[in-house]
Amino acid sequence: MDSDSINTTPSPSANNCKDFSRKKRRSAKLKQCKLDARREQWLSQSAVKNKGCCKEGTNGGDLKQRAQGQTDCLLENLEISRRGEANRGRETGLVKHESDSESLPSNSPMNSILLEGTGSGTSFTNSSSSSSSTSSGGCCSGSITEEEGDDGCLDDWEAVADALAADDDKREMERNNNNRENPFLGSTPEHEQNPQLGLKGEGSDLRNAKLECPRMVQRVTGSSRAWRADDAFRPQSLPNLSKQRSFPNTDRHFGQRGVPWMRSSPFTVPSSCPICYEDLDFTDSSFFPCLCGFRLCLFCHKRILEEDGRCPGCRKQYEQDPVEAEASIQEGSLTFRLARSSSMFARS
Amino acid sequence: MQASRARLFKEYKEVQREKAADPDIQLVCDDSNIFKWTALIKGPSETPYEGGVFQLAFAVPEQYPLQPPQVRFLTKIFHPNVHFKTGEICLDILKNAWSPAWTLQSVCRAIIALMAHPEPDSPLNCDSGNLLRSGDVRGYQSMARMYTRLAAMPKKG
C-alpha cells in the first residue's frame, strides 16, 4: 500500500501537468456554468446508484468541519504538513498558491483554505482507518504515508479520524450533497470523495472538478485522498482532468466530429438505447463503443458483435479489443478514459 | 425474439405519438401480428409519382433490428429499382447497408427518397432502367405517371 501511494505520486511529471492544468483551467472556467449544469444532471441520474459510495466523501467533509471547529493544533499540524508538502514538491506548492489566489477573492482566508485542504486529506485517512470495508483502504494508506513523511502528524490524523467516525449524522447529510454534486463518481465511493473534498476545501468548483477527474482516471486506489493528495497527484492527472471535467462536452464533440447528423439526433445525449429503445442505465451511459460517438446499451452492443459487428452509427467494424479501443480514444477524449477507469475500479 | 418484439412495440408507440409529424407516411401495424406492418406513402412531389398513394408491406424478421425488414410495394409502380411484378425493392439500406439504428419510419422515408431519385444502374425493372439509361427521361416519366394514375390513385367516379 505504501509503495503504491508513493509510486502514484510522481513529482517529476507534476510540472508538465501543472502547465497543462493552468491552461485548461482557464478554458474550463469559462465553461464552468455549463459543466455545473451538466454535472447536476448527471448526478441526479446517478444519484441512486451513488448513494452507497458516498460514505468516505462524507467523512472528508466531516473531517474538515471537525478540523476547523475542534482541533486547532491539528489544524496547525495540517498546515505545516501541507506547507512541507508544498516545499517538497514544487508543483504542489504552485498549485496551492493558485488555489489560494483563486479562493481568496471569494473571501476565504488562507488559513481556512489550508485547514480545509488538510482536513479533507485527514478525512481520507480517517475514512480508511475507520472503515476498513471500503475498497479505499489502499488509498488511505497511501495518504497516511505521505503525511508521515511530511510531518509525522499521523497520530493527530488518527485522532481526528476517531472523532470523525462518530459523526454518522453529518455524514448522512453530506452524503446527500455528494450525490448531487458528483456526476462522474457514481460507481466508486472513492471518486465521490474527491469531488466533495475538493469543493469544500476550495471555493471554486472548477478546481475540484479537475482534481477529482484525474484522480479517478489515474488510479482507483488513490482516489480516497483529499485535497492534498490531489495536489501531489495533480501533475499527472491534470491533462486528464481538464478532459474529464469537460466529459459531457467532450462526449458531445465526439459525436459532432465523427458524425455530424448525430448532433441533432437523439443519440447525442441518449436517454434510451437507439436500438432497443430501452433506457440506458448508468453503465450504459458511460459506455462509448465507437469513435463515431454512437452509443447504445451493452446488451445491444453484444448482440451486434455476435452478428456483423458493425457500429449502427457509422457502419464501421467495432474495435475487436475493447481495451485498445478505449486507449486510442483516451488520447482524444476524456470520456473514454473515464469508462475504462471505472471498469478497472469495479475490478479492483 | 423478445428484443425485436419490444423494439417494434416501442416503434408502434412512437408512430402513434408522432402521427402528424410526417404526413406523407402512414404506418400501421397488423392487428394480430406485430411483425407485419403496412405503410401508405405519398408519391413525392415533382416526380411522376406525385398524387399517388403507394402501399408498402413490411415483413419484420425476428432478428430485427439487427436484420432489416423485408419491404415490398403492394401498389404497382413503374420504377427502375422496384420489381414490376413482385414489388421487391432494390435499396441498399434494406440489404447490406442496413443499420439497427434505422426504424420502419425511416425506411419509409428512404423509400420516398428512392422514388424521387431512381438508380437506373441497378435496376429491378429493366424497362424503366433502360429508359433512364438511354436518356429517355420523358418516356420514363410518362410511363411512371401512367402507372401511378392507374394503380396509385383513387378511381374516379
Side-chain angles (χ1 to χ4, degrees):
Chain A
M1 289 179 133
D2 293 339
S3 65
D4 177 32
S5 65
I6 292 169
N7 290 337
T8 49
T9 58
S11 51
S13 62
N15 286 332
N16 295 337
C17 299
K18 184 187 62 184
D19 293 340
F20 269 122
S21 64
R22 277 190 180 172
K23 291 176 186 173
K24 296 201 174 179
R25 198 181 298 160
R26 240 150 242 165
S27 61
K29 253 194 177 177
L30 296 177
K31 298 176 184 171
Q32 186 60 34
C33 301
K34 290 182 182 176
L35 287 175
D36 285 342
R38 272 244 142 179
R39 201 192 282 169
E40 289 291 336
Q41 290 182 350
W42 274 73
L43 286 174
S44 62
Q45 285 182 356
S46 60
V48 179
K49 297 183 180 179
N50 293 348
K51 269 187 181 176
C53 317
C54 320
K55 256 194 179 177
E56 292 187 0
T58 337
N59 265 346
D62 289 346
L63 286 172
K64 194 193 355 173
Q65 290 178 356
R66 284 270 161 154
Q68 286 183 342
Q70 284 187 349
T71 59
D72 291 343
C73 60
L74 176 67
L75 174 64
E76 288 179 1
N77 287 337
L78 291 175
E79 284 186 13
I80 293 168
S81 64
R82 194 178 183 159
R83 281 171 194 166
E85 229 187 56
N87 292 336
R88 183 173 38 137
R90 235 183 217 176
E91 57 280 17
T92 320
L94 289 174
V95 172
K96 187 182 81 174
H97 291 301
E98 286 180 2
S99 66
D100 289 343
S101 63
E102 285 181 0
S103 57
L104 281 176
S106 63
N107 77 35
S108 61
M110 286 272 280
N111 285 342
S112 68
I113 293 171
L114 289 176
L115 176 60
E116 286 179 358
T118 32
S120 61
T122 327
S123 65
F124 280 114
T125 326
N126 224 356
S127 63
S128 63
S129 61
S130 62
S131 63
S132 61
S133 63
T134 57
S135 61
S136 61
C139 320
C140 297
S141 67
S143 63
I144 291 172
T145 55
E146 210 179 28
E147 269 151 21
E148 281 182 351
D150 293 348
D151 279 37
C153 55
L154 179 60
D155 295 342
D156 289 335
W157 287 110
E158 284 181 348
V160 175
D162 292 342
L164 290 175
D167 328 8
D168 285 338
D169 297 341
K170 286 182 181 179
R171 287 183 194 172
E172 290 288 343
M173 293 177 57
E174 297 234 3
R175 211 181 276 174
N176 293 335
N177 291 337
N178 281 343
N179 284 339
R180 268 180 243 136
E181 290 180 84
N182 304 331
F184 311 95
L185 310 181
S187 58
T188 62
E190 296 166 4
H191 290 185
E192 297 221 339
Q193 288 181 355
N194 292 335
Q196 169 108 359
L197 293 175
L199 288 173
K200 299 214 171 180
E202 270 193 345
S204 64
D205 278 3
L206 175 64
R207 228 220 200 160
N208 293 333
K210 283 185 179 179
L211 290 176
E212 62 183 273
C213 296
R215 253 231 207 121
M216 290 177 46
V217 176
Q218 279 187 343
R219 22 171 248 151
V220 177
T221 43
S223 59
S224 64
R225 278 198 199 159
W227 231 128
R228 261 207 177 164
D230 286 342
D231 286 347
F233 293 95
R234 205 187 210 192
Q236 270 191 346
S237 53
L238 270 179
N240 294 337
L241 272 182
S242 59
K243 284 183 183 177
Q244 250 198 344
R245 238 180 131 269
S246 58
F247 169 23
N249 287 344
T250 314
D251 182 17
R252 219 168 234 182
H253 290 309
F254 241 71
Q256 290 175 6
R257 213 189 303 151
V259 184
W261 52 268
M262 294 192 68
R263 190 179 197 172
S264 57
S265 77
F267 308 116
T268 307
V269 186
S271 61
S272 63
C273 171
I275 307 305
C276 63
Y277 285 18
E278 299 292 338
D279 290 342
L280 294 178
D281 64 20
F282 185 76
T283 310
D284 294 331
S285 59
S286 56
F287 176 56
F288 302 89
C290 185
L291 281 170
C292 77
F294 188 90
R295 300 170 65 177
L296 70 174
C297 73
L298 289 161
F299 181 72
C300 288
H301 180 67
K302 180 172 173 294
R303 284 181 68 204
I304 289 174
L305 285 182
E306 287 169 354
E307 301 236 344
D308 63 352
R310 290 184 304 169
C311 169
C314 61
R315 297 206 185 91
K316 287 179 186 155
Q317 286 289 328
Y318 276 126
E319 297 273 350
Q320 286 302 320
D321 185 359
V323 177
E324 272 187 14
E326 280 180 2
S328 63
I329 292 166
Q330 278 179 10
E331 297 173 7
S333 106
L334 187 63
T335 328
F336 290 79
R337 226 184 182 178
L338 174 60
R340 189 191 198 181
S341 71
S342 62
S343 66
M344 284 177 62
F345 210 101
R347 254 181 264 139
S348 64
Chain B
M1 177 72 174
Q2 284 308 315
S4 59
R5 194 180 290 273
R7 151 105 179 209
L8 286 170
F9 194 67
K10 297 259 172 62
E11 279 195 46
Y12 176 76
K13 285 199 282 191
E14 192 86 358
V15 166
Q16 299 303 115
R17 205 181 41 176
E18 296 182 1
K19 255 183 181 172
D22 203 337
D24 293 340
I25 299 171
Q26 192 180 343
L27 195 56
V28 291
C29 175
D30 189 286
D31 288 338
S32 58
N33 187 353
I34 202 170
F35 294 100
K36 300 288 182 195
W37 294 61
T38 56
L40 293 175
I41 59 176
K42 290 183 183 171
S45 60
E46 298 176 11
T47 69
Y49 313 105
E50 183 173 6
V53 175
F54 299 85
Q55 190 173 8
L56 300 170
F58 287 80
V60 183
E62 291 185 355
Q63 292 80 23
Y64 181 82
L66 299 186
Q67 297 291 323
Q70 295 173 345
V71 192
R72 65 188 189 94
F73 273 92
L74 290 181
T75 307
K76 202 163 278 299
I77 181 174
F78 187 80
H79 186 284
N81 306 114
V82 181
H83 195 282
F84 190 68
K85 291 202 171 126
T86 65
E88 184 190 345
I89 302 170
C90 179
L91 183 57
D92 59 347
I93 67 147
L94 294 176
K95 304 277 180 358
N96 55 355
W98 168 257
S99 161
W102 289 84
T103 64
L104 299 182
Q105 183 93 11
S106 59
V107 168
C108 289
R109 279 193 213 108
I111 291 172
I112 291 175
L114 179 71
M115 290 166 77
H117 303 281
E119 281 289 342
D121 287 335
S122 59
L124 273 176
N125 182 335
C126 291
D127 292 338
S128 171
N130 286 337
L131 283 174
L132 275 179
R133 275 198 285 189
S134 63
D136 190 357
V137 177
R138 207 167 155 190
Y140 153 75
Q141 286 184 342
S142 84
M143 286 287 284
R145 196 174 298 121
M146 184 189 76
Y147 278 107
T148 301
R149 211 169 289 157
L150 283 176
M153 287 190 185
K155 303 276 189 284
K156 288 176 184 172

